Amino acid sequence: MWRGLLLKGTTCLLQVSAQSFLHQRHASSQCFRLLTHRFLHKLRETSCIPRLRSTDFFQSHNVIRNYKKDAKSTVEFPLSPITVTDIKQYLRSKDIPFHDGYSCLHIPSIFIDVFTRKDSFSLFIDKTTGQFLCKDTLVEGSWEDLQDCLEVMQKDVQDSLSPHVLLGYPESLEEQEEREREQREVREIWSSSLLFTDLHDEEAQLVKTMFQITKISNATLKKFGVRLFKPTKSLVFPWFGGPDSSLKGIKLLSAQGIDGEKVTYNEATVPKCSSYFNLFGLTLVSRMDSEVVVTGSELDTLAVCQGTGLPSVALPRGVSCLPPALLPYLEQFKRVTLWLGGDIRSWEASKIFSRKLGMRRCTLVRPGEFQPCPLEALSQGKNLSRIVKASIPAAHKSIVSFKQLREDVYGELINTDQVAGVKWTRFPELNRILKGHRKGELTVFTGPTGSGKTTFISEFALDLCMQGVNTLWGSFEINNVRLAKIMLTQFAMQRLEENLEQYDFWADRFEELPLYFMTFHGQQNIKTVLDTMQHAVYLYDINHVIIDNLQFMMGQENLSVDKFAVQDHIIGVFRKFATNSSCHVTLIIHPRKEEDDKELQTASIFGSAKASQEADNVLILQEKKLVTCPGRRSLQVTKNRFDGDVGLFPLDFIKSSLTFSTPIKGKHKLRKVAAKPENEEEVQENEVTVKKDEGKKEKAAKTAKASQAVKRPANRNEKAKQ
């Protein structure tokens, strides 16, 4: 918490009154002096870290407004990355016993009296980040916070500390009012909602039919505390937590519409999604349970519990993210079965989440025709216990046979649209060529200087982010404030400078996107950038990383090494990261200097051929610099490893919204381009041969026309004589 406080950089410790500060802490003066000294020391170290501040935008427009700080939009890697070896060595040096868990280290809680805790190892330390959580008191913080507490205990010769020793980030008046408003809203909705046993049979059956949960019994709904909120006809799923198991939040699920036989669900959480950490069903799990089924929705958890009798919990954000803050609550289970749904996306999420949970204890339910999502399986009368028992281990050997791949191949054949990836909504031509945006791929993007590469790729990424693709931006060329302003303008599709009264409306919606920014600017070392990317993938389950641009990471490397060798090394690092992390990396690379009247080609990418060889996709933003009419810019796909389709389509730049839209149909047509051979000499020879053939044809056509023109007058003269 202290570490997060200084990195947020908006409030100084000295601004807090000492009297109230000490009153809230209930700690010794030595603790206060130690933490204050550590805070001020780190504040001097990190004073040069750049920040994304919304106030910069308004200072330039002479607008004064209340500003609510949200530090979750930036991703900052610790100055001294911690490893599990470092944590173990430190604990041993302090004579603290620990158990080596699946994703956490377990130690006795220092926030409980020594006579009360006995042999309970209830404090969990994340092996990857060092973050800790005490399950008994819900005290949490960073690895530095825990070190501070242990140092204070050693100096004061204490066996335990008060849970109040670590203060959270001081809330502003606006934040306090919002929190109280959310709590009041939760209580009002919960008290106004009804259990299904309190409804008339006909009404209860009608609601179940609307949500397609006719097979779920009223007893199961009552067991999990599911209610109906009549004003919006929504199911209410409670979030109970804390030492007293009090109501902390709710999730509302409504059936927005019915498309054929499939229901379209719409969900909302209070508090908002970024603060909603409810493992639905966790309160029904006993300490003796050693097996659990993890699902992607609350309705699936109800189905699993009723169909198998096994403990089951639902992830708060479905298949999009598994927050590390939830890992301590899953440490007690020796077997974790991931049954997140019945499509390809849930299958990919299962494989990613199993790495966080510990692959040796995880089993996965492979989606297929006979193994749909739990709710559908229950509705179809399938044996859910048999499906869970047939789940496959997440850990695999280095060599496999086709027998083990057979079901995966079949799954891709029957789900071709899902395998192709997430579709763009603003660039339908990209869907036609690339088919979609897929995890684990490397995309290289280039274009002439000043052509709008950053502006285009920001809309390119924003389109995907609006569809739930967790996105991390690494902008080394322009600062985060300017980039966020561009993306917000593209999101609102209008200039907010001219409509400042709408800023809060669009900013609130933009804030809900799963979008994060690195705080780097200018030249950076590749290792630091890679560590930050891995940190973000673990914390936020990032699916898409944009690096703008490659050249800004080459200046920090050894100057004695050949620059092309350095570039090849960096590209190889990003390629390996994309594959191992199952994360799509979009890498912007400046092209070589070309003449203004020539179009860029794959060979125009700066450096050696490794960039185009390692890339799964190569995109080129073409610009006709000598032309000012609409259609001067176009996007060309010169490589597509997924299915080989390449092509070119025009782009129209709309300055008022900073967006690139495709022209009206009929105005331009998509032009398919055959894939070019890698050998550039062969390309040039083929082009010369084609030009010669075309020249010969043109000459032959002109000669034929000339001979016909000569014959026609001669024929007329003969007729006149006759």
Side-chain angles (χ1 to χ4, degrees), residues 336-368:
V336 178
T337 301
L338 293 169
W339 192 357
L340 300 183
D343 55 9
I344 292 296
R345 187 185 177 195
S346 63
W347 174 245
E348 292 178 349
S350 299
K351 292 188 285 187
I352 295 173
F353 294 168
S354 65
R355 299 173 189 171
K356 286 187 178 183
L357 294 166
M359 297 183 69
R360 68 178 185 269
R361 64 163 173 166
C362 289
T363 60
L364 315 178
V365 175
R366 189 197 307 273

PDB file of all heavy atoms in Angstrom, residues 336-368:
ATOM      1  N   VAL A 336      -8.121 -28.498  -9.140  1.00  0.00           N
ATOM      2  CA  VAL A 336      -8.955 -27.412  -9.647  1.00  0.00           C
ATOM      3  C   VAL A 336      -9.355 -27.754 -11.077  1.00  0.00           C
ATOM      4  O   VAL A 336      -8.495 -27.889 -11.958  1.00  0.00           O
ATOM      5  CB  VAL A 336      -8.212 -26.056  -9.618  1.00  0.00           C
ATOM      6  CG1 VAL A 336      -9.087 -24.957 -10.208  1.00  0.00           C
ATOM      7  CG2 VAL A 336      -7.801 -25.699  -8.199  1.00  0.00           C
ATOM      8  N   THR A 337     -10.645 -27.914 -11.302  1.00  0.00           N
ATOM      9  CA  THR A 337     -11.157 -28.207 -12.638  1.00  0.00           C
ATOM     10  C   THR A 337     -11.687 -26.921 -13.255  1.00  0.00           C
ATOM     11  O   THR A 337     -12.581 -26.282 -12.689  1.00  0.00           O
ATOM     12  CB  THR A 337     -12.276 -29.262 -12.586  1.00  0.00           C
ATOM     13  OG1 THR A 337     -11.771 -30.457 -11.991  1.00  0.00           O
ATOM     14  CG2 THR A 337     -12.770 -29.574 -13.994  1.00  0.00           C
ATOM     15  N   LEU A 338     -11.127 -26.527 -14.385  1.00  0.00           N
ATOM     16  CA  LEU A 338     -11.539 -25.306 -15.084  1.00  0.00           C
ATOM     17  C   LEU A 338     -12.548 -25.674 -16.170  1.00  0.00           C
ATOM     18  O   LEU A 338     -12.202 -26.308 -17.170  1.00  0.00           O
ATOM     19  CB  LEU A 338     -10.322 -24.606 -15.683  1.00  0.00           C
ATOM     20  CG  LEU A 338      -9.317 -24.031 -14.668  1.00  0.00           C
ATOM     21  CD1 LEU A 338      -8.036 -23.606 -15.361  1.00  0.00           C
ATOM     22  CD2 LEU A 338      -9.917 -22.863 -13.920  1.00  0.00           C
ATOM     23  N   TRP A 339     -13.793 -25.279 -15.957  1.00  0.00           N
ATOM     24  CA  TRP A 339     -14.869 -25.497 -16.932  1.00  0.00           C
ATOM     25  C   TRP A 339     -15.496 -24.133 -17.183  1.00  0.00           C
ATOM     26  O   TRP A 339     -16.530 -23.785 -16.644  1.00  0.00           O
ATOM     27  CB  TRP A 339     -15.880 -26.493 -16.374  1.00  0.00           C
ATOM     28  CG  TRP A 339     -16.852 -27.008 -17.399  1.00  0.00           C
ATOM     29  CD1 TRP A 339     -16.960 -26.648 -18.702  1.00  0.00           C
ATOM     30  CD2 TRP A 339     -17.872 -27.989 -17.177  1.00  0.00           C
ATOM     31  NE1 TRP A 339     -17.958 -27.326 -19.322  1.00  0.00           N
ATOM     32  CE2 TRP A 339     -18.538 -28.175 -18.412  1.00  0.00           C
ATOM     33  CE3 TRP A 339     -18.274 -28.733 -16.063  1.00  0.00           C
ATOM     34  CZ2 TRP A 339     -19.592 -29.075 -18.546  1.00  0.00           C
ATOM     35  CZ3 TRP A 339     -19.336 -29.621 -16.207  1.00  0.00           C
ATOM     36  CH2 TRP A 339     -19.984 -29.795 -17.435  1.00  0.00           C
ATOM     37  N   LEU A 340     -14.823 -23.348 -18.025  1.00  0.00           N
ATOM     38  CA  LEU A 340     -15.177 -21.939 -18.181  1.00  0.00           C
ATOM     39  C   LEU A 340     -16.226 -21.689 -19.259  1.00  0.00           C
ATOM     40  O   LEU A 340     -16.668 -20.560 -19.428  1.00  0.00           O
ATOM     41  CB  LEU A 340     -13.917 -21.121 -18.501  1.00  0.00           C
ATOM     42  CG  LEU A 340     -12.807 -21.176 -17.437  1.00  0.00           C
ATOM     43  CD1 LEU A 340     -11.653 -20.268 -17.836  1.00  0.00           C
ATOM     44  CD2 LEU A 340     -13.341 -20.790 -16.066  1.00  0.00           C
ATOM     45  N   GLY A 341     -16.610 -22.700 -20.009  1.00  0.00           N
ATOM     46  CA  GLY A 341     -17.606 -22.499 -21.055  1.00  0.00           C
ATOM     47  C   GLY A 341     -17.516 -23.584 -22.100  1.00  0.00           C
ATOM     48  O   GLY A 341     -16.847 -24.613 -21.910  1.00  0.00           O
ATOM     49  N   GLY A 342     -18.175 -23.326 -23.233  1.00  0.00           N
ATOM     50  CA  GLY A 342     -18.214 -24.337 -24.281  1.00  0.00           C
ATOM     51  C   GLY A 342     -17.693 -23.864 -25.613  1.00  0.00           C
ATOM     52  O   GLY A 342     -18.022 -24.456 -26.648  1.00  0.00           O
ATOM     53  N   ASP A 343     -16.875 -22.789 -25.624  1.00  0.00           N
ATOM     54  CA  ASP A 343     -16.355 -22.298 -26.895  1.00  0.00           C
ATOM     55  C   ASP A 343     -14.832 -22.218 -26.840  1.00  0.00           C
ATOM     56  O   ASP A 343     -14.197 -22.500 -25.823  1.00  0.00           O
ATOM     57  CB  ASP A 343     -16.947 -20.932 -27.239  1.00  0.00           C
ATOM     58  CG  ASP A 343     -16.739 -19.909 -26.123  1.00  0.00           C
ATOM     59  OD1 ASP A 343     -16.003 -20.213 -25.169  1.00  0.00           O
ATOM     60  OD2 ASP A 343     -17.302 -18.803 -26.213  1.00  0.00           O
ATOM     61  N   ILE A 344     -14.236 -21.822 -27.955  1.00  0.00           N
ATOM     62  CA  ILE A 344     -12.780 -21.764 -28.080  1.00  0.00           C
ATOM     63  C   ILE A 344     -12.182 -20.727 -27.144  1.00  0.00           C
ATOM     64  O   ILE A 344     -11.124 -20.932 -26.550  1.00  0.00           O
ATOM     65  CB  ILE A 344     -12.384 -21.454 -29.538  1.00  0.00           C
ATOM     66  CG1 ILE A 344     -12.739 -22.642 -30.435  1.00  0.00           C
ATOM     67  CG2 ILE A 344     -10.893 -21.158 -29.650  1.00  0.00           C
ATOM     68  CD1 ILE A 344     -11.978 -23.907 -30.131  1.00  0.00           C
ATOM     69  N   ARG A 345     -12.875 -19.597 -26.982  1.00  0.00           N
ATOM     70  CA  ARG A 345     -12.341 -18.543 -26.120  1.00  0.00           C
ATOM     71  C   ARG A 345     -12.193 -19.028 -24.678  1.00  0.00           C
ATOM     72  O   ARG A 345     -11.198 -18.743 -24.006  1.00  0.00           O
ATOM     73  CB  ARG A 345     -13.254 -17.318 -26.176  1.00  0.00           C
ATOM     74  CG  ARG A 345     -12.689 -16.115 -25.449  1.00  0.00           C
ATOM     75  CD  ARG A 345     -13.673 -14.969 -25.421  1.00  0.00           C
ATOM     76  NE  ARG A 345     -13.161 -13.836 -24.660  1.00  0.00           N
ATOM     77  CZ  ARG A 345     -13.890 -12.826 -24.237  1.00  0.00           C
ATOM     78  NH1 ARG A 345     -15.176 -12.783 -24.523  1.00  0.00           N
ATOM     79  NH2 ARG A 345     -13.350 -11.840 -23.560  1.00  0.00           N
ATOM     80  N   SER A 346     -13.187 -19.760 -24.189  1.00  0.00           N
ATOM     81  CA  SER A 346     -13.109 -20.286 -22.828  1.00  0.00           C
ATOM     82  C   SER A 346     -12.011 -21.334 -22.706  1.00  0.00           C
ATOM     83  O   SER A 346     -11.352 -21.443 -21.666  1.00  0.00           O
ATOM     84  CB  SER A 346     -14.453 -20.878 -22.416  1.00  0.00           C
ATOM     85  OG  SER A 346     -14.796 -21.983 -23.239  1.00  0.00           O
ATOM     86  N   TRP A 347     -11.781 -22.089 -23.758  1.00  0.00           N
ATOM     87  CA  TRP A 347     -10.717 -23.098 -23.751  1.00  0.00           C
ATOM     88  C   TRP A 347      -9.340 -22.427 -23.674  1.00  0.00           C
ATOM     89  O   TRP A 347      -8.469 -22.868 -22.915  1.00  0.00           O
ATOM     90  CB  TRP A 347     -10.840 -23.966 -24.994  1.00  0.00           C
ATOM     91  CG  TRP A 347      -9.741 -24.965 -25.208  1.00  0.00           C
ATOM     92  CD1 TRP A 347      -8.841 -24.997 -26.226  1.00  0.00           C
ATOM     93  CD2 TRP A 347      -9.431 -26.084 -24.368  1.00  0.00           C
ATOM     94  NE1 TRP A 347      -7.988 -26.053 -26.092  1.00  0.00           N
ATOM     95  CE2 TRP A 347      -8.325 -26.753 -24.954  1.00  0.00           C
ATOM     96  CE3 TRP A 347      -9.958 -26.587 -23.190  1.00  0.00           C
ATOM     97  CZ2 TRP A 347      -7.749 -27.884 -24.408  1.00  0.00           C
ATOM     98  CZ3 TRP A 347      -9.392 -27.721 -22.640  1.00  0.00           C
ATOM     99  CH2 TRP A 347      -8.310 -28.351 -23.236  1.00  0.00           C
ATOM    100  N   GLU A 348      -9.141 -21.360 -24.436  1.00  0.00           N
ATOM    101  CA  GLU A 348      -7.874 -20.629 -24.382  1.00  0.00           C
ATOM    102  C   GLU A 348      -7.672 -19.995 -23.003  1.00  0.00           C
ATOM    103  O   GLU A 348      -6.567 -20.001 -22.456  1.00  0.00           O
ATOM    104  CB  GLU A 348      -7.845 -19.549 -25.466  1.00  0.00           C
ATOM    105  CG  GLU A 348      -7.776 -20.099 -26.877  1.00  0.00           C
ATOM    106  CD  GLU A 348      -7.788 -19.003 -27.926  1.00  0.00           C
ATOM    107  OE1 GLU A 348      -8.065 -17.841 -27.560  1.00  0.00           O
ATOM    108  OE2 GLU A 348      -7.527 -19.295 -29.105  1.00  0.00           O
ATOM    109  N   ALA A 349      -8.749 -19.438 -22.434  1.00  0.00           N
ATOM    110  CA  ALA A 349      -8.647 -18.842 -21.105  1.00  0.00           C
ATOM    111  C   ALA A 349      -8.304 -19.899 -20.056  1.00  0.00           C
ATOM    112  O   ALA A 349      -7.541 -19.630 -19.113  1.00  0.00           O
ATOM    113  CB  ALA A 349      -9.948 -18.134 -20.748  1.00  0.00           C
ATOM    114  N   SER A 350      -8.846 -21.099 -20.200  1.00  0.00           N
ATOM    115  CA  SER A 350      -8.552 -22.173 -19.249  1.00  0.00           C
ATOM    116  C   SER A 350      -7.068 -22.495 -19.230  1.00  0.00           C
ATOM    117  O   SER A 350      -6.470 -22.681 -18.158  1.00  0.00           O
ATOM    118  CB  SER A 350      -9.358 -23.427 -19.607  1.00  0.00           C
ATOM    119  OG  SER A 350     -10.744 -23.193 -19.544  1.00  0.00           O
ATOM    120  N   LYS A 351      -6.453 -22.551 -20.397  1.00  0.00           N
ATOM    121  CA  LYS A 351      -5.024 -22.871 -20.468  1.00  0.00           C
ATOM    122  C   LYS A 351      -4.179 -21.753 -19.873  1.00  0.00           C
ATOM    123  O   LYS A 351      -3.143 -22.011 -19.244  1.00  0.00           O
ATOM    124  CB  LYS A 351      -4.631 -23.144 -21.929  1.00  0.00           C
ATOM    125  CG  LYS A 351      -5.244 -24.425 -22.475  1.00  0.00           C
ATOM    126  CD  LYS A 351      -4.705 -24.780 -23.850  1.00  0.00           C
ATOM    127  CE  LYS A 351      -5.295 -23.893 -24.927  1.00  0.00           C
ATOM    128  NZ  LYS A 351      -4.905 -24.337 -26.288  1.00  0.00           N
ATOM    129  N   ILE A 352      -4.613 -20.509 -20.055  1.00  0.00           N
ATOM    130  CA  ILE A 352      -3.860 -19.375 -19.502  1.00  0.00           C
ATOM    131  C   ILE A 352      -4.008 -19.322 -17.983  1.00  0.00           C
ATOM    132  O   ILE A 352      -3.029 -19.147 -17.251  1.00  0.00           O
ATOM    133  CB  ILE A 352      -4.347 -18.059 -20.142  1.00  0.00           C
ATOM    134  CG1 ILE A 352      -4.015 -18.041 -21.643  1.00  0.00           C
ATOM    135  CG2 ILE A 352      -3.697 -16.858 -19.453  1.00  0.00           C
ATOM    136  CD1 ILE A 352      -4.604 -16.859 -22.377  1.00  0.00           C
ATOM    137  N   PHE A 353      -5.222 -19.493 -17.480  1.00  0.00           N
ATOM    138  CA  PHE A 353      -5.467 -19.412 -16.040  1.00  0.00           C
ATOM    139  C   PHE A 353      -4.792 -20.551 -15.290  1.00  0.00           C
ATOM    140  O   PHE A 353      -4.424 -20.404 -14.118  1.00  0.00           O
ATOM    141  CB  PHE A 353      -6.963 -19.419 -15.751  1.00  0.00           C
ATOM    142  CG  PHE A 353      -7.693 -18.195 -16.253  1.00  0.00           C
ATOM    143  CD1 PHE A 353      -9.079 -18.150 -16.303  1.00  0.00           C
ATOM    144  CD2 PHE A 353      -6.989 -17.081 -16.683  1.00  0.00           C
ATOM    145  CE1 PHE A 353      -9.754 -17.031 -16.754  1.00  0.00           C
ATOM    146  CE2 PHE A 353      -7.649 -15.951 -17.147  1.00  0.00           C
ATOM    147  CZ  PHE A 353      -9.024 -15.924 -17.185  1.00  0.00           C
ATOM    148  N   SER A 354      -4.639 -21.706 -15.945  1.00  0.00           N
ATOM    149  CA  SER A 354      -4.009 -22.845 -15.275  1.00  0.00           C
ATOM    150  C   SER A 354      -2.552 -22.550 -14.929  1.00  0.00           C
ATOM    151  O   SER A 354      -2.014 -23.111 -13.970  1.00  0.00           O
ATOM    152  CB  SER A 354      -4.090 -24.093 -16.159  1.00  0.00           C
ATOM    153  OG  SER A 354      -3.341 -23.933 -17.353  1.00  0.00           O
ATOM    154  N   ARG A 355      -1.904 -21.654 -15.691  1.00  0.00           N
ATOM    155  CA  ARG A 355      -0.525 -21.282 -15.379  1.00  0.00           C
ATOM    156  C   ARG A 355      -0.461 -20.502 -14.073  1.00  0.00           C
ATOM    157  O   ARG A 355       0.472 -20.663 -13.287  1.00  0.00           O
ATOM    158  CB  ARG A 355       0.058 -20.443 -16.518  1.00  0.00           C
ATOM    159  CG  ARG A 355       0.101 -21.160 -17.862  1.00  0.00           C
ATOM    160  CD  ARG A 355       0.530 -20.201 -18.964  1.00  0.00           C
ATOM    161  NE  ARG A 355       0.368 -20.803 -20.289  1.00  0.00           N
ATOM    162  CZ  ARG A 355       0.505 -20.133 -21.431  1.00  0.00           C
ATOM    163  NH1 ARG A 355       0.804 -18.844 -21.401  1.00  0.00           N
ATOM    164  NH2 ARG A 355       0.334 -20.738 -22.586  1.00  0.00           N
ATOM    165  N   LYS A 356      -1.444 -19.652 -13.837  1.00  0.00           N
ATOM    166  CA  LYS A 356      -1.482 -18.899 -12.585  1.00  0.00           C
ATOM    167  C   LYS A 356      -1.782 -19.799 -11.396  1.00  0.00           C
ATOM    168  O   LYS A 356      -1.214 -19.640 -10.319  1.00  0.00           O
ATOM    169  CB  LYS A 356      -2.548 -17.799 -12.661  1.00  0.00           C
ATOM    170  CG  LYS A 356      -2.195 -16.607 -13.509  1.00  0.00           C
ATOM    171  CD  LYS A 356      -3.257 -15.543 -13.351  1.00  0.00           C
ATOM    172  CE  LYS A 356      -2.937 -14.299 -14.141  1.00  0.00           C
ATOM    173  NZ  LYS A 356      -3.932 -13.232 -13.950  1.00  0.00           N
ATOM    174  N   LEU A 357      -2.699 -20.738 -11.594  1.00  0.00           N
ATOM    175  CA  LEU A 357      -3.165 -21.576 -10.503  1.00  0.00           C
ATOM    176  C   LEU A 357      -2.197 -22.711 -10.177  1.00  0.00           C
ATOM    177  O   LEU A 357      -2.286 -23.304  -9.103  1.00  0.00           O
ATOM    178  CB  LEU A 357      -4.541 -22.160 -10.843  1.00  0.00           C
ATOM    179  CG  LEU A 357      -5.684 -21.147 -10.950  1.00  0.00           C
ATOM    180  CD1 LEU A 357      -6.900 -21.781 -11.617  1.00  0.00           C
ATOM    181  CD2 LEU A 357      -6.052 -20.621  -9.576  1.00  0.00           C
ATOM    182  N   GLY A 358      -1.289 -23.023 -11.080  1.00  0.00           N
ATOM    183  CA  GLY A 358      -0.391 -24.162 -10.899  1.00  0.00           C
ATOM    184  C   GLY A 358      -0.850 -25.320 -11.768  1.00  0.00           C
ATOM    185  O   GLY A 358      -1.860 -25.966 -11.450  1.00  0.00           O
ATOM    186  N   MET A 359      -0.129 -25.579 -12.843  1.00  0.00           N
ATOM    187  CA  MET A 359      -0.605 -26.530 -13.840  1.00  0.00           C
ATOM    188  C   MET A 359      -0.688 -27.957 -13.303  1.00  0.00           C
ATOM    189  O   MET A 359      -1.494 -28.756 -13.771  1.00  0.00           O
ATOM    190  CB  MET A 359       0.299 -26.475 -15.072  1.00  0.00           C
ATOM    191  CG  MET A 359       0.285 -25.136 -15.785  1.00  0.00           C
ATOM    192  SD  MET A 359       1.274 -25.105 -17.294  1.00  0.00           S
ATOM    193  CE  MET A 359       0.327 -26.175 -18.358  1.00  0.00           C
ATOM    194  N   ARG A 360       0.135 -28.278 -12.312  1.00  0.00           N
ATOM    195  CA  ARG A 360       0.159 -29.672 -11.863  1.00  0.00           C
ATOM    196  C   ARG A 360      -1.109 -30.077 -11.109  1.00  0.00           C
ATOM    197  O   ARG A 360      -1.372 -31.274 -10.932  1.00  0.00           O
ATOM    198  CB  ARG A 360       1.394 -29.924 -11.007  1.00  0.00           C
ATOM    199  CG  ARG A 360       1.421 -29.231  -9.661  1.00  0.00           C
ATOM    200  CD  ARG A 360       2.684 -29.607  -8.886  1.00  0.00           C
ATOM    201  NE  ARG A 360       2.710 -29.054  -7.533  1.00  0.00           N
ATOM    202  CZ  ARG A 360       3.230 -27.901  -7.205  1.00  0.00           C
ATOM    203  NH1 ARG A 360       3.774 -27.145  -8.154  1.00  0.00           N
ATOM    204  NH2 ARG A 360       3.233 -27.481  -5.953  1.00  0.00           N
ATOM    205  N   ARG A 361      -1.913 -29.121 -10.656  1.00  0.00           N
ATOM    206  CA  ARG A 361      -3.153 -29.470  -9.957  1.00  0.00           C
ATOM    207  C   ARG A 361      -4.395 -29.178 -10.786  1.00  0.00           C
ATOM    208  O   ARG A 361      -5.518 -29.448 -10.340  1.00  0.00           O
ATOM    209  CB  ARG A 361      -3.244 -28.705  -8.640  1.00  0.00           C
ATOM    210  CG  ARG A 361      -3.344 -27.190  -8.792  1.00  0.00           C
ATOM    211  CD  ARG A 361      -3.831 -26.533  -7.523  1.00  0.00           C
ATOM    212  NE  ARG A 361      -3.771 -25.076  -7.610  1.00  0.00           N
ATOM    213  CZ  ARG A 361      -4.378 -24.265  -6.763  1.00  0.00           C
ATOM    214  NH1 ARG A 361      -5.088 -24.761  -5.774  1.00  0.00           N
ATOM    215  NH2 ARG A 361      -4.266 -22.952  -6.887  1.00  0.00           N
ATOM    216  N   CYS A 362      -4.235 -28.586 -11.965  1.00  0.00           N
ATOM    217  CA  CYS A 362      -5.384 -28.162 -12.775  1.00  0.00           C
ATOM    218  C   CYS A 362      -5.745 -29.202 -13.829  1.00  0.00           C
ATOM    219  O   CYS A 362      -4.873 -29.822 -14.447  1.00  0.00           O
ATOM    220  CB  CYS A 362      -5.094 -26.830 -13.466  1.00  0.00           C
ATOM    221  SG  CYS A 362      -5.038 -25.419 -12.349  1.00  0.00           S
ATOM    222  N   THR A 363      -7.039 -29.382 -14.017  1.00  0.00           N
ATOM    223  CA  THR A 363      -7.554 -30.167 -15.130  1.00  0.00           C
ATOM    224  C   THR A 363      -8.529 -29.293 -15.909  1.00  0.00           C
ATOM    225  O   THR A 363      -9.180 -28.405 -15.339  1.00  0.00           O
ATOM    226  CB  THR A 363      -8.279 -31.440 -14.650  1.00  0.00           C
ATOM    227  OG1 THR A 363      -9.384 -31.075 -13.810  1.00  0.00           O
ATOM    228  CG2 THR A 363      -7.327 -32.349 -13.882  1.00  0.00           C
ATOM    229  N   LEU A 364      -8.646 -29.541 -17.207  1.00  0.00           N
ATOM    230  CA  LEU A 364      -9.432 -28.691 -18.091  1.00  0.00           C
ATOM    231  C   LEU A 364     -10.532 -29.502 -18.763  1.00  0.00           C
ATOM    232  O   LEU A 364     -10.293 -30.628 -19.214  1.00  0.00           O
ATOM    233  CB  LEU A 364      -8.536 -28.057 -19.166  1.00  0.00           C
ATOM    234  CG  LEU A 364      -7.198 -27.459 -18.709  1.00  0.00           C
ATOM    235  CD1 LEU A 364      -6.431 -26.923 -19.913  1.00  0.00           C
ATOM    236  CD2 LEU A 364      -7.428 -26.355 -17.692  1.00  0.00           C
ATOM    237  N   VAL A 365     -11.731 -28.937 -18.837  1.00  0.00           N
ATOM    238  CA  VAL A 365     -12.828 -29.542 -19.577  1.00  0.00           C
ATOM    239  C   VAL A 365     -12.772 -28.995 -21.000  1.00  0.00           C
ATOM    240  O   VAL A 365     -12.956 -27.796 -21.223  1.00  0.00           O
ATOM    241  CB  VAL A 365     -14.189 -29.228 -18.931  1.00  0.00           C
ATOM    242  CG1 VAL A 365     -15.319 -29.770 -19.803  1.00  0.00           C
ATOM    243  CG2 VAL A 365     -14.261 -29.821 -17.538  1.00  0.00           C
ATOM    244  N   ARG A 366     -12.497 -29.887 -21.948  1.00  0.00           N
ATOM    245  CA  ARG A 366     -12.367 -29.467 -23.341  1.00  0.00           C
ATOM    246  C   ARG A 366     -13.752 -29.211 -23.935  1.00  0.00           C
ATOM    247  O   ARG A 366     -14.621 -30.094 -23.904  1.00  0.00           O
ATOM    248  CB  ARG A 366     -11.643 -30.541 -24.153  1.00  0.00           C
ATOM    249  CG  ARG A 366     -11.261 -30.116 -25.560  1.00  0.00           C
ATOM    250  CD  ARG A 366     -10.937 -31.331 -26.418  1.00  0.00           C
ATOM    251  NE  ARG A 366      -9.940 -32.187 -25.794  1.00  0.00           N
ATOM    252  CZ  ARG A 366      -8.627 -32.015 -25.942  1.00  0.00           C
ATOM    253  NH1 ARG A 366      -8.177 -31.025 -26.674  1.00  0.00           N
ATOM    254  NH2 ARG A 366      -7.786 -32.850 -25.358  1.00  0.00           N
ATOM    255  N   PRO A 367     -13.999 -28.019 -24.475  1.00  0.00           N
ATOM    256  CA  PRO A 367     -15.321 -27.751 -25.060  1.00  0.00           C
ATOM    257  C   PRO A 367     -15.531 -28.555 -26.330  1.00  0.00           C
ATOM    258  O   PRO A 367     -14.590 -28.837 -27.073  1.00  0.00           O
ATOM    259  CB  PRO A 367     -15.275 -26.242 -25.349  1.00  0.00           C
ATOM    260  CG  PRO A 367     -13.822 -25.934 -25.519  1.00  0.00           C
ATOM    261  CD  PRO A 367     -13.099 -26.860 -24.584  1.00  0.00           C
ATOM    262  N   GLY A 368     -16.745 -28.933 -26.562  1.00  0.00           N
ATOM    263  CA  GLY A 368     -17.067 -29.703 -27.762  1.00  0.00           C
ATOM    264  C   GLY A 368     -18.558 -29.924 -27.861  1.00  0.00           C
ATOM    265  O   GLY A 368     -19.357 -29.420 -27.047  1.00  0.00           O
TER     266      GLY A 368
END
